[in-house]
Amino acid sequence: MRTLRIGMSGNDIMEIQAVLKKMGYKIDRVDGQFGPQTRDAVIEFQKRFGLTPDGIIGPNTYRVLERFLNGYDLYVIRPGDTFYSIANRFGTSPELIIAANPDQRPENLTVGQRIVVPYAMNIVDTNINYTYDVLSRDIQGLKARYPFLEVGSAGNSVLGRNLYYIRLGTGPNQVFYNGSHHALEWITTPVLMKFTEDFLKAYTEGRTLPGGYDPRDIWNRSSIYIIPMVNPDGVDLVLNGLQPDNPYYEDLIKWNKGSTDFSTVWEANNRGVDLNHNYNAAWQLSKDAEAEYGVTGPGPTRYSGPAPESEPETQAVVAFTRNHNFRLVIAYHSQGQVIYWNFMNMAPPEGRTIGERMSAISGYTLDQTTGIASYAGYKDWFIQDFRRPGYTVEVGLGENPLPISQFDQIYNDNLGVLLFAATA
Ligand SMILES: [Zn+2]
């Protein structure tokens, strides 16, 4: 952790601004710029927690801030404590504490035991650059709050990052949602992560979700598997830039036509392969179409790779799919407000009818892909090999990367789709 002070900028500052804002400090713009308002908020924070109020985030201030970034605190039970009194002290709810500590009997707390105390505020921020580090922290935070949540890794990226998966529910009807095959389309990751948190929270509190969905009913009937970030290396190039220790440093600059700026062009993984053109479904047609798009090798977009499933990310997603029994899959992309449902007329009839419902719920157009986009994508491969409903959902409207300010609209449009598809 670097020391942060006025005049600096970065994704770490953005994250801290978001948490200070959630805590009620005055932050008008979560923009990653450490300006006078952020400094004043840090000073207020430092005063409240008995820290030196210098407006600089050094190790001591960060140590206190980190608890709020993680979304929970640890607390050792003292004589006379109840979950209710602890909840009051931390400004949170007894239900959240009970869910986070299934081994504690609420009527008979064990003095001296350490418990997890989740804060009332949500973990998943939807107003920041959603990096791999944020994803890792959020998954760890959700697991601490909801220990019954199944999380794991479906494999590793080229650079060894985890391809995290989450499972919501224990039922036999398995569905699979994934996001960020394409690096510029990272806004799809917080869509799936916010869905995860909202679902867990409603499940724990016994509340229904919009549309009248009962999360406990879905939990028993279905298992919703989610890989929120299929391409963490690509997302890192877009959001954090090319790091000097990247083993592909020189190659990546060459593949990016001599530029070190990946923030507005890069869709591929760290080897310049477009992961959604790397599946074994009419892959050769995807390869043959490269020339007409001026693609001659690794690059920002549309390079299908040297062979189908040549990349560790696609291999992991294929293995994950084969190891389950998915009744339906959705690959989330941006942009266009379109739902693609077919592949070479191999989709089953219900692929269209379910797609029509998803279209009605979201307001997105139901369509079929044409040209190079029709080949070698995840949903193409799934439809071809399993003959079950598979979808590409293109969220939002505009030019990638979509501004995070579109998030609320996108989430509103897609929450019903995510709930409906889990039971369709
Ligand atoms: Zn895409």
Side-chain angles (χ1 to χ4, degrees):
M1 179 63 204
R2 59 182 184 148
T3 294
L4 303 173
R5 62 181 77 229
I6 193 160
M8 295 173 78
S9 62
N11 290 331
D12 46 0
I13 292 166
M14 203 177 212
E15 239 189 297
I16 287 166
Q17 288 174 322
V19 85
L20 289 171
K21 190 180 170 81
K22 276 195 291 193
M23 294 176 74
Y25 297 98
K26 188 165 170 52
I27 299 280
D28 293 328
R29 284 213 312 274
V30 177
D31 56 4
Q33 309 290 329
F34 200 136
Q37 195 185 48
T38 302
R39 180 199 56 201
D40 293 348
V42 171
I43 288 171
E44 290 308 309
F45 177 88
Q46 289 169 325
K47 283 184 189 161
R48 181 171 150 197
F49 292 97
L51 299 152
T52 310
D54 58 5
I56 297 167
I57 303 173
N60 290 335
T61 298
Y62 188 75
R63 207 168 298 128
V64 182
L65 257 175
E66 199 173 22
R67 303 203 302 256
F68 297 96
L69 289 165
N70 290 338
Y72 63 93
D73 209 336
L74 298 171
Y75 175 77
V76 177
I77 294 169
R78 296 178 218 160
D81 278 342
T82 63
F83 276 167
Y84 185 79
S85 70
I86 297 167
N88 260 346
R89 192 172 318 151
F90 285 88
T92 188
S93 80
E95 288 78 19
L96 284 173
I97 303 182
I98 290 166
N101 302 280
D103 298 336
Q104 285 288 334
R105 298 219 316 278
E107 68 282 1
N108 188 14
L109 300 182
T110 319
V111 172
Q113 281 258 328
R114 206 157 70 151
I115 60 165
V116 171
V117 182
Y119 296 119
M121 58 192 190
N122 284 344
I123 286 179
V124 177
D125 289 320
T126 58
N127 54 353
I128 60 171
N129 287 338
Y130 206 88
T131 63
Y132 173 77
D133 292 341
V134 171
L135 172 69
S136 305
R137 187 201 287 285
D138 284 358
I139 286 179
Q140 194 226 324
L142 290 174
K143 177 72 184 164
R145 281 191 184 197
Y146 306 103
F148 53 87
L149 179 67
E150 182 182 330
V151 301
S153 180
N156 294 97
S157 67
V158 168
L159 296 184
R161 291 188 172 93
N162 285 315
L163 305 184
Y164 290 112
Y165 79 84
I166 295 163
R167 176 185 179 182
L168 300 171
T170 53
N173 177 53
Q174 302 183 3
V175 299
F176 177 34
Y177 308 150
N178 59 60
S180 295
H181 266 89
H182 285 145
L184 288 182
E185 304 167 16
W186 59 263
I187 200 168
T188 56
T189 298
V191 168
L192 294 170
M193 290 301 293
K194 180 163 179 59
F195 170 70
T196 299
E197 179 162 36
D198 286 354
F199 195 95
L200 286 166
K201 202 167 186 189
Y203 173 77
T204 301
E205 293 172 351
R207 280 185 293 106
T208 56
L209 285 158
Y213 290 97
D214 177 356
R216 294 189 175 176
D217 175 54
I218 296 177
W219 195 276
N220 294 329
R221 283 165 63 187
S222 300
S223 291
I224 305 171
Y225 288 88
I226 297 171
I227 296 186
M229 193 182 282
V230 173
N231 183 12
D233 298 345
V235 172
D236 200 65
L237 276 173
V238 166
L239 291 179
N240 286 324
L242 179 57
Q243 302 302 308
D245 62 349
N246 189 312
Y248 295 80
Y249 188 88
E250 301 294 338
D251 287 333
L252 280 161
I253 294 173
K254 193 174 70 194
W255 298 334
N256 198 29
K257 301 180 182 72
S259 170
T260 52
D261 182 2
F262 293 77
S263 65
T264 59
V265 293
W266 196 263
E267 295 279 29
N269 75 348
N270 206 85
R271 288 203 291 234
V273 177
D274 188 322
L275 296 177
N276 213 41
H277 288 296
N278 190 237
Y279 289 91
N280 197 5
W283 180 86
Q284 192 59 48
L285 290 178
S286 178
K287 191 80 191 157
D288 293 346
E290 284 176 0
E292 71 180 273
Y293 289 94
V295 173
T296 55
T301 180
R302 288 178 174 155
Y303 174 58
S304 308
E309 294 161 21
S310 57
E311 303 309 295
E313 295 90 351
T314 43
Q315 287 164 13
V317 173
V318 163
F320 191 74
T321 305
R322 288 198 201 283
N323 290 337
H324 293 84
N325 181 26
F326 296 132
R327 177 267 186 287
L328 175 155
V329 302
I330 302 176
Y332 265 97
H333 290 254
S334 70
Q335 50 80 42
Q337 300 189 334
V338 184
I339 298 169
Y340 295 111
W341 67 280
N342 209 348
F343 175 65
M344 294 186 160
N345 290 320
M346 291 180 188
E350 62 169 355
R352 180 193 269 278
T353 51
I354 292 171
E356 282 166 352
R357 286 287 303 278
M358 288 166 48
S359 166
I361 291 166
S362 59
Y364 288 7
T365 311
L366 188 67
D367 206 350
Q368 309 202 32
T369 41
T370 53
I372 195 172
S374 338
Y375 311 126
Y378 174 70
K379 79 116 172 58
D380 306 329
W381 171 77
F382 180 79
I383 291 171
Q384 168 196 275
D385 272 31
F386 296 89
R387 307 290 166 130
R388 292 178 185 175
Y391 303 92
T392 293
V393 176
E394 299 272 3
V395 305
L397 218 46
E399 202 170 308
N400 288 326
L402 295 179
I404 195 65
S405 56
Q406 281 199 23
F407 182 88
D408 290 352
Q409 177 70 49
I410 289 172
Y411 188 68
N412 259 330
D413 293 342
N414 284 279
L415 176 57
V417 170
L418 292 162
L419 291 165
F420 168 72
T423 51

